[in-house]
Amino acid sequence: MKLPCVLLLWILQCNNVHADSIIHIGAIFEENGARDEEVFQLAVSDLSLSDDVLQSEKITHSIKLIQPDNPFQAVQEACELMNQGILALVTSTGCASASALQSLTDAMHIPHLYIQRNGGGSPRTACQLNPPAGGRSYTLNARPPVRLNDVMLTLVEELRWQKFIVFYDIEYDMRGLQAFLDQTCRAGVEVSVQRVDRNISRVFSQLFTSMRTEQLNRYRDTLRRAILLLSPHAAHTFIQQAVETNLASKDSHWVFVNEEISDAEILELTHSALGRITVVRQIFPPWKESGARCQRHKHRISSLLCDPQEGYLQNLEVSNLYLYDSVLMLANAFYRKLEDRKWHSMASLNCIRKSTKPWNGGWSMLETIQKGNITGLTGTMDFKDSGANSHVHFEILGSSFSETFGKDYKRMATWDAVHGLNGSLKESRIENGMQGVTLKVVTLLHPSSIPPSMVYSFSLSGWRAWLKPILAAFRQEDPFVMVAENILGQPKRYKGFSIDVLDALAKILGFKYDIYQVSDSKYGSQLPNGSWNGMIGDLINKRADLAVSAITITPQRENVVDFSKRYLDYSVGILLRKPEEKINIFSLFVPFDLAVWACIAAAIPVVGVLIFLLNRLQALRSSSARHAPPGTPTNGGDPASLQSAIWLVYGAFVQQGGEGVVGSVALRMVMGSWWLFTLMVCSSYTANLAAYLTVSRMDHAIRSFQDLARQVEVDYGTVRDSAVYDYFRHKGTNPLEQDSTYAELWRSLSKNQGLDHCVSSPSEGIRKAKKSPFAFLWDMAVLEYAALTDDDCTVTVSGSGVSSKGYGVALQHGSPYRDLFSQKILELQEKGDLDVMKQKWWPERGRCDLGGGHHTGAHPDGRSLKLQSFAGVFCVLAAGLLLACLVAAMEAWWSGQRCRSQAPKEDKEVTLERVHGGMNSLLDEDLALKQIPGPSMEISALDLGRMRAGQAAMVPPGLAVTSFLPGEGAPPPHLGGTLGRTQHSLGGGACKHRAPNGALFRQSPGKMAAYPGPLPEVIDAAHGTSI
């Protein structure tokens, strides 16, 4: 449905073009070329929609259709176009019409772009055009010359055929095969030629009727090697008939040659063939910018022609694609003509009049076309080679060497006019092993060479300084390929993950190998002239059989070499320094902001004051009701003081108290609200603390390309002009890429052509990541090894491990070892041997941990709460204890100062020494008269003074204790007259004074009441006394 819409748009545009347009071209197509007219109009429509090519100018055109192979009609239609006035003529016809049009355009000096069409799908042969009369030919061949003979001659030499037969159909011009037959005959090859009629079944039936059994056997032997110059349909029928008549054998090898054949038709041929079949067809090189396949410089191609998913491109012929590029070539010439201001207006030419002069601007326009070049659907197009487009490429497809031999096909080699054959067509099968085979293996250690100034001479004292940069250079491809410790005079030995895989394959298959380093220290990239350098170049030029290193499998490389199955996945990672751990002893206070803590601290005394006031109001109401003195608490548990109220609130907040009895409803509402507030605060703190500790344990804030693109603190880069650099360039400049992350990354990487942030080698990037805040983007496997073997364990690796690429063993194109290597690699993966090799070079428990630093045990300490994070709690406890000690010291000091200020004067004190002496004398006299019994009770005056009335009744009846203090007042009434002194009640807060005999008085002796009566002379013999 898209094509009619495009054509309708084109018709509307043509109606709006002014009649005085200065650009008008003519076109002549054959009636059986159904797609020629559609593609031509699509090309003109694309140019009209794009203002970058011709700016404000528009191209108008006139199309004429003719019968196939009708030269007279072709000349007649061309004359009519010239009479209208045209700048150039584009034709797509057969050879007969092309020859007539060449003569006409040469006579009228009209540039003529000619595209040769295939006749009925048969292989194309070169047209024999007439030489120009004046020596100047105005006809340019947009389609390259026929090179099938050169490709077939290369195949015969590569396959080393000495005898074969060539089948061609009735549409094929036998004269095009003459040069090939001459060269094979000179080489001593026996070649037979046979034409195939349209009725192929009749051809095979005639063979059985005209030949005897012996002749059929010889003919069957001849059919073992054959070249088919047929259309795809005729070739399929021919192979089916050969198999059905038992003329084809399992060891036969047939080569089908045709520039145009689809994938579906190739699959039909391989399925119908009994033996091996090889297909040769023309291909077009892919556009270098994979993300912009519909964009060619300033010109945008219709999606119908550049997007395979549209389905329109598969139905086109090769001639249709060259027709589209021919229109682009003319538009390019018109643009340069307009820029140079050397425009020649169109002229109306009459072919019938003899007096008609040719166009005077024809030669200038032809030179402008010949000097230009474009890149279109068919690749590069120019006419520098004798007026013909010489850029042509072929691919050679063949049956694989796997178990599906004869049922599948693969690309074995390519061929182009500059480099010839690229690949191998060897027929040797590798079934069980490669015993006795020695392969040449190329590898890569370091992408840049060692400076020559470091290789001259050095002293023994400076050998370490000389060796250090060399070892650093070799570590670029760690751990894929490294130089092992070599003994002087011994051949160089290698080690590494890729070498281990190669050794495992050699042990299984039984081959030997010689390994050498590539001379230019490059993996391999395509040069502007189409050749390849590095290890890929050595494989193409057959200097090596295998390439083993950290070489990735890419579509560009697979076009020129073969790869085995991947033995390791490839992805791009991020190498950066581990975040420095910041010690914050008060990290447990981080969940709440300082303002929140201040509000909580202020809420405690506010609620405490409110509870105190409410309690006082309740106490006043109670005292008024009971006529009690105000201020007396009604309940022993209520906070009667402000300090008690605040302490109650604080205890409830820390969930360690607050169980005091509250009587009023108001107090209960206050405490209920405070308890709810405390519950919410504690729950929020617990949740925020858990979240903070979880986030703080993360390795780094940069864990993906998205995180890297969003931040601005850390610079990032990769190796300039590397595969990773190209990867980000393609992703960042792809207009179809929906993720803007890659566009942002590419803008930073490409600043100043990559000189600002990118580095020249992987080692430089790794060193920069270790020493500065820099993120290095490189191969994940190399970065993980660098992080695991870092001496200081200061770097970590992040990024996605998902990738569609991988590392593989590179082989020559069409190598017979590819499928065998792939099969053995799959076996190593299934057995787990590759995992063991990977653990050897990327251990889970290496010198460093990719996420947590050094390994200290089976369980890393990153999940536990460290001391520095919990130190703040101990600091708070220590501050509280220290404050308590200071308050206790101040209380002791204040109490001592108060007691000293309350001490009595010396003139009022009782001379206790005199009292003590009198008491001792009385005791001595008493002992002389009476003997004191053993069980005596000592009761101090202090204890007697603290006795209450109820307790005094419990004193034994005969017990009497007197202090013998003269001048004291009467004893308390509840103690009767037996006690000589004391005061009824002593306050607990009074100062303490020590008597001379060691006893303690709760009150100063001067304040004691004087005893009025005389001292007793005799003491009861049954009791003793003491103070």
Side-chain angles (χ1 to χ4, degrees):
M1 296 297 293
K2 290 186 177 180
L3 184 59
C5 297
V6 174
L7 295 179
L8 180 61
L9 178 63
W10 163 248
I11 293 173
L12 293 176
Q13 289 178 345
C14 291
N15 293 332
N16 295 330
V17 175
H18 298 287
D20 57 350
S21 175
I22 63 174
I23 302 177
H24 186 75
I25 59 176
I28 297 177
F29 307 127
E30 293 182 346
E31 294 176 352
N32 58 358
R35 301 289 184 180
D36 288 343
E37 184 178 359
E38 295 177 1
V39 173
F40 181 81
Q41 291 185 351
L42 276 175
V44 178
S45 177
D46 289 344
L47 290 172
S48 301
L49 294 175
S50 177
D51 296 333
D52 296 333
V53 180
L54 293 176
Q55 299 177 356
S56 61
E57 297 296 335
K58 302 296 182 182
I59 296 180
T60 60
H61 68 279
S62 299
I63 300 176
K64 300 294 182 180
L65 299 179
I66 63 173
Q67 296 177 358
D69 295 329
N70 192 338
F72 178 78
Q73 186 183 6
V75 172
Q76 187 178 7
E77 298 293 347
C79 288
E80 184 177 348
L81 292 174
M82 293 178 186
N83 192 22
Q84 297 176 6
I86 56 176
L87 295 177
L89 179 65
V90 179
T91 64
S92 176
T93 62
C95 293
S97 301
S99 181
L101 291 173
Q102 180 200 14
S103 301
L104 179 61
T105 54
D106 289 347
M108 295 299 175
H109 294 185
I110 299 296
H112 175 209
L113 270 67
Y114 167 61
I115 299 97
Q116 182 184 359
R117 296 191 68 253
N118 291 31
S122 299
R124 188 169 60 104
T125 57
C127 292
Q128 304 296 329
L129 300 180
N130 300 323
R136 290 183 177 181
S137 177
Y138 285 81
T139 299
L140 302 176
N141 290 318
R143 190 169 182 176
V146 181
R147 303 299 298 270
L148 294 180
N149 289 343
D150 299 331
V151 179
M152 290 189 298
L153 186 62
T154 304
L155 290 178
V156 171
E157 294 176 353
E158 183 72 12
L159 296 174
R160 298 179 181 179
W161 284 358
Q162 297 298 321
K163 181 180 179 180
F164 62 91
I165 185 173
V166 178
F167 293 95
Y168 67 96
D169 59 16
I170 196 171
E171 304 290 342
Y172 183 77
D173 189 355
M174 180 63 183
R175 293 175 297 178
L177 198 60
Q178 189 61 45
F180 171 72
L181 296 177
D182 293 340
Q183 291 181 343
T184 53
C185 290
R186 284 195 295 267
V189 180
E190 182 180 349
V191 183
S192 302
V193 180
Q194 182 176 347
R195 190 179 71 173
V196 179
D197 296 332
R198 289 187 176 91
N199 193 347
I200 298 178
S201 60
R202 187 177 61 181
V203 173
F204 281 93
S205 62
Q206 290 177 354
L207 291 176
F208 285 93
T209 58
S210 61
M211 290 185 181
R212 300 177 182 177
T213 305
E214 297 177 357
Q215 293 175 334
L216 284 175
N217 291 335
R218 287 196 299 267
Y219 188 74
R220 183 182 290 109
D221 183 66
T222 304
L223 285 178
R224 291 178 62 251
R225 303 290 183 264
I227 295 178
L228 307 180
L229 294 173
L230 308 173
S231 65
H233 176 71
H236 181 241
T237 305
F238 182 86
I239 294 174
Q240 281 184 333
Q241 290 293 328
V243 173
E244 290 176 1
T245 56
N246 201 22
L247 291 178
S249 58
K250 292 184 178 180
D251 61 344
S252 62
H253 184 185
W254 292 355
V255 177
F256 174 78
V257 181
N258 198 326
E259 290 176 319
E260 299 188 35
I261 181 173
S262 64
D263 294 339
E265 292 170 336
I266 295 176
L267 199 59
E268 289 181 356
L269 293 180
T270 55
H271 285 183
S272 59
L274 186 60
R276 181 184 178 189
I277 188 168
T278 300
V279 178
V280 178
R281 69 174 177 180
Q282 185 179 355
I283 59 170
F284 303 109
W287 179 238
K288 296 180 180 179
E289 300 292 339
S290 59
R293 58 190 175 196
C294 293
Q295 193 76 23
R296 299 295 189 273
H297 301 297
K298 296 182 180 180
H299 177 68
R300 182 169 183 83
I301 301 174
S302 174
S303 61
L304 290 173
L305 300 176
C306 64
D307 191 354
Q309 297 181 356
E310 296 287 346
Y312 184 76
L313 187 62
Q314 284 76 7
N315 298 324
L316 297 181
E317 299 177 356
V318 174
S319 59
N320 301 142
L321 304 180
Y322 280 108
L323 179 60
Y324 187 96
D325 289 351
S326 299
V327 179
L328 294 185
M329 193 71 179
L330 288 177
N332 179 267
F334 297 154
Y335 172 76
R336 288 184 286 111
K337 268 290 185 181
L338 292 172
E339 274 196 336
D340 297 341
R341 300 181 181 275
K342 296 180 181 180
W343 188 260
H344 295 274
S345 60
M346 297 177 293
S348 178
L349 304 177
N350 193 336
C351 302
I352 300 177
R353 291 182 184 178
K354 295 183 179 180
S355 60
T356 302
K357 294 182 180 180
W359 183 37
N360 57 0
W363 184 251
S364 176
M365 182 65 71
L366 182 67
E367 286 184 335
T368 305
I369 297 174
Q370 286 180 326
K371 291 179 180 178
N373 68 85
I374 63 154
T375 302
L377 296 176
T378 60
T380 303
M381 175 181 286
D382 58 50
F383 300 104
K384 298 178 182 179
D385 188 10
S386 302
N389 180 21
S390 60
H391 301 281
V392 60
H393 301 267
F394 293 92
E395 71 172 346
I396 303 172
L397 307 172
S399 304
S400 63
F401 296 96
S402 62
E403 296 179 356
T404 59
F405 180 79
K407 300 300 180 182
D408 200 0
Y409 68 93
K410 66 173 183 178
R411 176 184 287 186
M412 302 178 64
T414 58
W415 188 96
D416 61 81
V418 178
H419 305 94
L421 184 67
N422 174 25
S424 176
L425 303 177
K426 295 179 181 179
E427 291 187 83
S428 58
R429 287 199 203 177
I430 308 297
E431 295 291 348
N432 299 321
M434 300 168 58
Q435 299 292 336
V437 178
T438 301
L439 300 178
K440 196 73 173 178
V441 180
V442 60
T443 189
L444 171 65
L445 289 176
H446 183 242
S448 61
S449 58
I450 300 173
S453 59
M454 299 175 55
V455 191
Y456 292 145
S457 62
F458 58 95
S459 61
L460 292 178
S461 60
W463 73 273
R464 292 183 179 272
W466 179 87
L467 191 59
K468 184 177 181 180
I470 297 180
L471 294 178
F474 283 144
R475 287 175 60 87
Q476 296 300 322
E477 298 311 321
D478 294 356
F480 290 93
V481 179
M482 299 178 287
V483 176
E485 296 180 359
N486 296 312
I487 303 175
L488 190 61
Q490 296 287 335
K492 186 175 292 186
R493 296 172 55 248
Y494 299 90
K495 64 179 181 179
F497 178 69
S498 297
I499 300 299
D500 289 349
V501 174
L502 183 62
D503 290 338
L505 294 174
K507 183 178 180 181
I508 296 173
L509 298 175
F511 67 87
K512 299 180 181 179
Y513 64 87
D514 295 330
I515 191 169
Y516 72 96
Q517 300 179 30
V518 65
S519 58
D520 57 0
S521 298
K522 295 182 181 296
Y523 290 106
S525 58
Q526 191 173 13
L527 301 178
N529 60 0
S531 61
W532 287 73
N533 57 12
M535 294 187 293
I536 302 297
D538 282 11
L539 292 175
I540 294 174
N541 298 323
K542 296 180 174 56
R543 288 193 290 266
D545 299 307
L546 306 177
V548 174
S549 184
I551 183 169
T552 54
I553 304 173
T554 62
Q556 294 79 12
R557 291 171 179 170
E558 278 195 308
N559 287 331
V560 293
V561 297
D562 284 346
F563 278 95
S564 67
K565 295 291 185 181
R566 67 173 71 177
Y567 57 83
L568 183 66
D569 291 333
Y570 170 85
S571 61
V572 180
I574 306 172
L575 181 73
L576 66 166
R577 285 180 61 89
K578 293 178 181 177
E580 296 181 359
E581 189 173 1
K582 298 179 180 180
I583 299 177
N584 183 11
I585 61 175
F586 297 103
S587 60
L588 293 180
F589 299 97
V590 172
F592 284 168
D593 189 61
L594 182 61
V596 178
W597 287 115
C599 292
I600 293 175
I604 294 176
V606 170
V607 176
V609 170
L610 180 61
I611 292 176
F612 170 72
L613 294 177
L614 292 176
N615 186 68
R616 295 291 294 178
L617 290 175
Q618 181 183 2
L620 289 174
R621 290 195 300 270
S622 300
S623 62
S624 299
R626 301 176 185 176
H627 303 285
T632 304
T634 58
N635 294 321
D638 290 338
S641 63
L642 179 61
Q643 298 93 326
S644 300
I646 296 178
W647 182 256
L648 174 67
V649 173
Y650 177 75
F653 179 75
V654 297
Q655 300 179 355
Q656 297 296 326
E659 296 87 0
V661 180
V662 289
S664 67
V665 177
L667 280 174
R668 292 180 180 179
M669 292 178 64
V670 171
M671 290 305 300
S673 302
W674 178 250
W675 289 338
L676 181 61
F677 170 78
T678 301
L679 176 64
M680 297 174 65
V681 169
C682 293
S683 301
S684 302
Y685 175 80
T686 304
N688 287 352
L689 179 62
Y692 167 75
L693 294 177
T694 302
V695 173
S696 62
R697 290 193 190 105
M698 292 184 178
D699 300 336
H700 207 279
I702 301 174
R703 305 184 65 85
S704 63
F705 292 144
Q706 287 76 12
D707 298 337
L708 191 63
R710 285 193 292 263
Q711 58 83 39
V712 294
E713 293 82 8
V714 179
D715 295 331
Y716 50 89
T718 185
V719 179
R720 291 185 295 271
D721 300 328
S722 62
V724 179
Y725 187 84
D726 294 338
Y727 168 77
F728 284 105
R729 177 167 59 86
H730 293 155
K731 296 281 285 186
T733 57
N734 186 1
L736 302 179
E737 181 65 43
Q738 298 180 356
D739 192 355
S740 61
T741 299
Y742 293 97
E744 183 64 29
L745 292 174
W746 172 243
R747 278 194 293 268
S748 179
L749 294 175
S750 60
K751 285 183 180 178
N752 195 14
Q753 297 181 353
L755 298 177
D756 288 353
H757 303 306
C758 293
V759 295
S760 59
S761 64
S763 62
E764 181 183 352
I766 294 174
R767 289 196 300 270
K768 191 173 181 180
K770 291 180 179 179
K771 297 180 180 179
S772 62
F774 176 77
F776 180 54
L777 308 177
W778 196 242
D779 174 15
M780 178 74 79
V782 177
L783 297 183
E784 286 182 352
Y785 184 81
L788 288 171
T789 57
D790 184 27
D791 295 334
D792 301 325
C793 298
T794 58
V795 291
T796 184
V797 180
S798 59
S800 175
V802 179
S803 177
S804 59
K805 293 184 179 181
Y807 299 98
V809 178
L811 305 95
Q812 292 182 8
H813 216 325
S815 173
Y817 311 126
R818 189 196 71 165
D819 293 329
L820 193 59
F821 274 39
S822 298
Q823 179 184 356
K824 299 306 176 184
I825 288 175
L826 292 177
E827 291 179 1
L828 291 175
Q829 289 179 345
E830 185 177 356
K831 295 178 181 178
D833 294 342
L834 284 181
D835 294 334
V836 175
M837 298 178 193
K838 187 176 179 181
Q839 287 296 323
K840 174 183 176 182
W841 299 102
W842 291 278
E844 294 181 357
R845 297 289 176 181
R847 180 188 304 171
C848 302
D849 182 9
L850 293 180
H854 294 277
H855 285 295
T856 56
H859 301 283
D861 59 353
R863 298 181 180 273
S864 59
L865 197 62
K866 298 183 180 180
L867 179 61
Q868 57 263 27
S869 300
F870 211 74
V873 179
F874 291 99
C875 291
V876 173
L877 177 61
L881 297 178
L882 180 61
L883 182 62
C885 295
L886 292 176
V887 171
M890 293 179 63
E891 286 181 348
W893 176 79
W894 177 258
S895 177
Q897 290 292 108
R898 181 181 176 186
C899 291
R900 280 193 294 270
S901 62
Q902 294 178 357
K905 295 180 180 181
E906 293 182 359
D907 55 355
K908 296 182 180 180
E909 291 181 354
V910 179
T911 307
L912 297 181
E913 288 84 357
R914 186 180 59 184
V915 174
H916 181 65
M919 292 173 60
N920 289 336
S921 61
L922 291 174
L923 290 175
D924 293 339
E925 293 176 358
D926 194 284
L927 291 175
L929 298 175
K930 297 180 180 181
Q931 183 179 359
I932 298 176
S936 64
M937 180 178 295
E938 294 184 359
I939 300 177
S940 65
L942 180 62
D943 295 331
L944 293 175
R946 296 172 65 179
M947 287 185 181
R948 299 179 184 178
Q951 295 174 342
M954 300 174 61
V955 179
L959 179 63
V961 179
T962 180
S963 60
F964 298 100
L965 295 178
E968 283 192 343
H974 64 274
L975 294 178
T978 59
L979 295 178
R981 58 132 313 267
T982 194
Q983 187 174 315
H984 171 65
S985 177
L986 296 175
C991 299
K992 301 176 182 180
H993 298 274
R994 185 172 295 276
N997 63 348
L1000 293 176
F1001 293 95
R1002 290 283 178 172
Q1003 193 164 342
S1004 300
K1007 292 183 180 181
M1008 291 183 179
Y1011 184 72
L1015 293 174
E1017 296 181 357
V1018 181
I1019 301 177
D1020 189 359
H1023 299 84
T1025 67
S1026 65
I1027 294 176

